[in-house]
Amino acid sequence: MEYEYDYGNDENDEDYSNEWQEPSTTDLAVSSVSATYETLNLTTASLSSTEDLDCETCWVYTVAQVIGLITIVCSICFNLPVLCAVWRMKNRRPSYIFIGNLAAADLLVGVLLIIQLLPAPSIKYSCLTVISLMIHSWMCSFLGTLYIAMDRLGIVIKPLTHRVIVTEKKVLRLLLLTWTLSAVWSFLPVMGVNVWKSDDEQCNFSVLPTWFILVTSCFYVTVVIITCVFYAKLFYRFKEEARKINKLFASRSISQESDTKQSRNLATVLLTVTCIFVLCWTPFVIISVVTTISIQFYYDWVSQPAVWRTVSVAYILTNALAMWNSALNPCLYAWKLPTIRKELLDMLPKCCVKQATSTKRNQSCAGTTVVSVETPM
């Protein structure tokens, strides 16, 4: 009994001593566990907030994907017939060859969007190839608008000299040189001029060096300014000619008036195409430059969730708008240019056009027979 009593006293003594020795260790353990738990809660909250940010921008990706699919179908199905219509023309003017150049650049947009959807063995080179093709199509397009403005202005200022100097072969050589030099510059990122770090990089212009984007954007702005100056000078000449026509209307032949009117209408359509191109591509260029500079020099600011969400939404929407421009141009050609519209109608299956043409011919033949019978009388 004494043994048990002594043992119990020893145990009580140990428990009593532990009451004064153990609490500090236990409190530290509990505090560390609680701190870990709070850290996990904060991490979970931050992850949930990131998911909420992603979910808030889900509609942007959906809209961009829908616009991309529509752009693929429209750019291929509309620009390819325009190219065929320009090729079918017997007497191709330089202006229509330049329109064919714009259609080819717009067709390239549909091709690069298809490449973007295909699975690729290398994420890096697939992304860089798509970006290079986009820059290539963009450069060929805005240089094509510059050539169109120069061509229209040359016709108005020096029509006789323009017909001798600007021939079909020279125009084709100029376009071939343009596509070659644009390809050399555009594919520099694929050949190593990039800042790609890992496969976790987002496929946008931020993988390109800042100097590359700035040089390309400055070149684009310079070309747009020169094009606007050419069109301003062109329509000023049209206005001066209209005043001369009003003063010397009697000495002006009907054929000369119709030629001037056709030239003015063609210049108006091409100016509309240029304006739509600038309106569609300029926001994307601005967002790309701002995003690239912000990532390079102001990463702490742009990496904030709210700021990055706004930048991402703006980048996606402006990119979709720029791609959508390739589907709008052929609609303008077919709507506003009678020559291209006629060629497009001629390419339709004969069963679709045969009845309409036959009825028109019958009406015209009936009208001529009546006149031929009545005239001798």
Side-chain angles (χ1 to χ4, degrees), residues 205-223:
F205 279 17
S206 63
V207 300
L208 303 179
T210 306
W211 65 267
F212 183 85
I213 296 177
L214 291 178
V215 170
T216 309
S217 301
C218 291
F219 182 59
Y220 165 73
V221 172
T222 304
V223 171

Side-chain angles (χ1 to χ4, degrees), residues 278-316:
V278 172
L279 291 176
C280 289
W281 274 96
T282 301
F284 177 68
V285 174
I286 295 174
I287 291 296
S288 299
V289 173
V290 172
T291 304
T292 304
I293 295 177
S294 300
I295 291 175
Q296 293 290 333
F297 301 102
Y298 305 100
Y299 182 77
D300 294 336
W301 173 74
V302 79
S303 60
Q304 296 177 8
V307 177
W308 183 250
R309 180 183 62 189
T310 304
V311 172
S312 300
V313 170
Y315 185 90
I316 294 170

Side-chain angles (χ1 to χ4, degrees), residues 74 78-79 82 324 326-337:
C74 294
F78 293 167
N79 287 293
V82 171
W324 179 244
S326 62
L328 293 177
N329 288 336
C331 300
L332 291 174
Y333 305 148
W335 178 36
K336 290 292 187 179
L337 298 179

Side-chain angles (χ1 to χ4, degrees), residues 133 262 280:
L133 288 174
Q262 290 178 359
C280 289

Side-chain angles (χ1 to χ4, degrees), residues 63-94:
V63 171
Q65 289 176 357
V66 171
I67 294 177
L69 292 175
I70 295 174
T71 303
I72 290 173
V73 176
C74 294
S75 62
I76 294 177
C77 295
F78 293 167
N79 287 293
L80 193 58
V82 171
L83 276 174
C84 296
V86 173
W87 181 261
R88 282 167 51 92
M89 291 181 182
K90 296 181 179 179
N91 296 322
R92 287 188 292 267
R93 298 180 183 177

Side-chain angles (χ1 to χ4, degrees), residues 241-310:
E241 286 191 359
R243 292 178 181 176
K244 293 179 181 179
I245 291 173
N246 293 330
K247 292 180 180 179
L248 304 173
F249 182 78
S251 61
R252 188 80 173 180
S253 63
I254 298 176
S255 60
Q256 289 175 335
E257 293 175 10
S258 61
D259 292 339
T260 305
K261 186 177 180 180
Q262 290 178 359
S263 180
R264 188 185 299 109
N265 291 337
L266 180 58
T268 304
V269 174
L270 297 177
L271 176 61
T272 305
V273 171
T274 303
C275 291
I276 292 177
F277 174 81
V278 172
L279 291 176
C280 289
W281 274 96
T282 301
F284 177 68
V285 174
I286 295 174
I287 291 296
S288 299
V289 173
V290 172
T291 304
T292 304
I293 295 177
S294 300
I295 291 175
Q296 293 290 333
F297 301 102
Y298 305 100
Y299 182 77
D300 294 336
W301 173 74
V302 79
S303 60
Q304 296 177 8
V307 177
W308 183 250
R309 180 183 62 189
T310 304

Side-chain angles (χ1 to χ4, degrees), residues 28-44:
L28 290 173
V30 171
S31 62
S32 63
V33 171
S34 61
T36 306
Y37 183 72
E38 291 177 358
T39 305
L40 290 174
N41 285 336
L42 291 174
T43 306
T44 306

Side-chain angles (χ1 to χ4, degrees), residues 8-26:
N9 289 332
D10 293 338
E11 185 177 1
N12 291 330
D13 292 339
E14 290 177 1
D15 292 336
Y16 182 77
S17 63
N18 287 334
E19 288 179 358
W20 296 97
Q21 295 176 1
E22 294 278 359
S24 60
T25 308
T26 306

